[in-house]
Amino acid sequence: MVLASFVSCADVGAVDAIKLDRAFVAGLPEDRHDLAIVHAVAALARTLGIEVVAEGVEHERQCACLRECGIDGAQGYLFAPALEAETLRARLAAG
């Protein structure tokens, strides 16, 4: 899905970042198919100068694998649980 959405963009130059779906992160680092997709997305993005952010990162081993693959950023429960918008606004306002 991620690759299909990315490829369907009419103007690739207008894209500055793409998200790597949690479906490709969940099996890392053990699932060789997920790993191959992550490597391919990272290589394509590097060639095009596009940032890649992985979503759904829950374990340090996934984060380490993504870092080794050259993924630029990550989000998920490993870093913070999902928050309601109002809770996030309150935390940001509190500093």
Side-chain angles (χ1 to χ4, degrees):
M1 286 295 202
V2 172
L3 292 176
S5 296
F6 177 69
V7 173
S8 68
C9 292
D11 183 8
V12 174
V15 175
D16 58 5
I18 57 173
K19 270 196 174 176
L20 186 63
D21 191 84
R22 68 184 336 108
F24 302 119
V25 173
L28 295 178
E30 295 85 7
D31 187 299
R32 66 183 180 97
H33 296 108
D34 288 347
L35 187 57
I37 290 169
V38 171
H39 273 290
V41 170
L44 177 63
R46 250 189 324 276
T47 299
L48 297 174
I50 297 172
E51 180 181 9
V52 181
V53 177
E55 62 179 20
V57 180
E58 297 182 3
H59 306 285
E60 181 57 43
R61 68 183 187 278
Q62 293 169 325
C63 188
C65 181
L66 292 164
R67 196 176 303 118
E68 289 173 13
C69 289
I71 300 300
D72 303 297
Q75 62 186 47
Y77 195 80
L78 177 64
F79 308 104
L83 300 173
E84 295 292 327
E86 188 55 41
T87 303
L88 177 59
R89 280 192 282 277
R91 286 189 183 180
L92 291 173

